[in-house]
Amino acid sequence: MLMLYFSGTGNSKYIANLFSKKVNAKCYSIEENIDFKKEIKRHNTIAFCYPIYASNVPRIMREFVSKYVEELKDKKLIIFCTQLFFSGDGARVFTDLLPKGYGEVIYAEHFNMPNNICNIKIFPIKNGEETKKYIKAAQRKMNRICKDLEKGKVKKRGFNKVSNLIGKSQSKYWPNIEEEKKSSIKVDSDCIKCGLCVKLCPMNNLNLANNGIVHNNNCIFCYRCVNACPKKAITVLINKKPKVQYKGIE
């Protein structure tokens, strides 16, 4: 079995690694520089894990799947998505990336994880001890998932009509926002030009120039740079300086 994941600030990485350790699966971030075509061909079951953005699959994962879609044609699929509260059909929307008849979903599940959008007051940031309830809940759910898989039980969270309607209530506005806000990144005068955001960006969207950080209009709002900046100098999507940054699952 093979696990492939994208994680902006560590939540989906935690779920991907948790599952992979329990089922002895190979686990790779889609950002890694490996021969993914070869790896996918070698395995019959492919698991995917990603954060859900307004009931949509992140663009970086969509682009990855598009690149390797032919290798997924006859594969069994396990789909995990991480969410803040609910995403409706967050796991099901992955199947929209595949042509009809490609891939057989044998399990799909959603995991509630801590918020990483650190500059919206209504969504408080939780770090350290405050994240443990999420970890414990994720571990309990993963234990159940592994038992279900051992028994051959198929469960597909988010594939019913109600979940689909809930998902569409969020997702129909996202494509326009996603396109319009590609250039929303802002860097304020607190920037010390350390270049950390440049190294961390999964889209290679940032560059360090003589006058500071410049971007290439290709942001996907993963919030990795916003939460990592040592001076809280960078914002995306919502240009409000964060007071507390999300440190991820420890």
Side-chain angles (χ1 to χ4, degrees):
M1 190 183 299
L2 176 66
M3 164 61 80
L4 302 172
Y5 72 88
F6 168 69
S7 185
T9 54
N11 289 339
S12 294
K13 179 181 179 179
Y14 175 80
I15 296 299
N17 283 321
L18 180 64
F19 176 71
S20 299
K21 288 176 183 177
K22 287 184 176 293
V23 300
N24 195 30
K26 281 191 173 183
C27 185
Y28 297 108
S29 164
I30 63 171
E31 297 175 58
E32 293 185 53
N33 184 24
I34 66 168
D35 189 343
F36 283 108
K37 181 177 288 190
K38 180 179 178 180
E39 284 296 325
I40 293 171
K41 284 182 176 180
R42 289 176 54 190
H43 295 86
N44 294 322
T45 302
I46 314 296
F48 287 91
C49 185
Y50 53 89
I52 198 73
Y53 296 170
S55 296
N56 280 266
V57 179
R59 179 160 57 89
I60 188 173
M61 180 61 85
R62 300 200 309 264
E63 292 172 354
F64 178 88
V65 173
S66 176
K67 185 175 181 179
Y68 298 105
V69 68
E70 288 302 320
E71 284 68 44
L72 297 173
K73 184 175 182 179
D74 299 315
K75 303 298 182 180
K76 293 181 178 179
L77 304 177
I78 295 171
I79 307 168
F80 297 145
C81 72
T82 56
Q83 60 188 20
L84 178 54
F85 297 122
F86 66 92
S87 60
D89 57 351
R92 188 210 61 78
V93 292
F94 185 90
T95 63
D96 292 341
L97 308 179
L98 306 173
K100 188 176 181 179
Y102 278 49
E104 176 192 356
V105 178
I106 61 172
Y107 213 96
E109 187 55 279
H110 302 168
F111 290 83
N112 286 10
M113 298 297 282
N115 172 46
N116 73 342
I117 304 175
C118 56
N119 53 356
I120 302 181
K121 286 185 178 180
I122 60 173
F123 300 143
I125 292 296
K126 299 181 184 297
N127 286 307
E129 290 292 321
E130 293 180 310
T131 66
K132 288 193 174 178
K133 70 175 183 178
Y134 295 93
I135 296 172
K136 290 179 180 178
Q139 290 173 342
R140 288 194 299 268
K141 182 173 283 190
M142 192 62 76
N143 287 336
R144 173 182 47 82
I145 290 169
C146 292
K147 288 179 181 178
D148 286 347
L149 289 171
E150 285 178 3
K151 296 175 182 177
K153 182 177 179 180
V154 175
K155 181 176 181 179
K156 297 195 283 187
R157 177 83 67 188
F159 278 64
N160 60 60
K161 291 181 179 180
V162 174
S163 294
N164 193 20
L165 288 172
I166 293 172
K168 284 183 177 179
S169 71
Q170 300 182 95
S171 64
K172 66 179 181 178
Y173 301 105
W174 183 250
N176 287 337
I177 295 172
E178 185 180 56
E179 184 62 30
E180 291 172 1
K181 296 294 185 177
K182 282 182 179 180
S183 59
S184 65
I185 190 165
K186 303 292 182 185
V187 183
D188 68 26
S189 58
D190 289 335
C191 175
I192 57 174
K193 302 179 184 179
C194 67
L196 179 60
C197 58
V198 177
K199 294 176 182 177
L200 292 178
C201 181
M203 300 300 290
N204 296 315
N205 183 44
L206 304 174
N207 299 103
L208 183 58
N210 291 334
N211 60 342
I213 301 297
V214 295
H215 65 84
N216 302 311
N217 300 314
N218 198 31
C219 182
I220 60 169
F221 333 117
C222 70
Y223 266 76
R224 189 182 293 175
C225 62
V226 182
N227 284 292
C229 177
K231 293 297 181 179
K232 302 177 184 175
I234 193 165
T235 59
V236 301
L237 193 60
I238 299 164
N239 299 123
K240 185 175 181 181
K241 198 177 184 74
K243 291 184 179 180
V244 180
Q245 293 165 308
Y246 179 53
K247 300 305 180 182
I249 299 294
E250 298 176 357

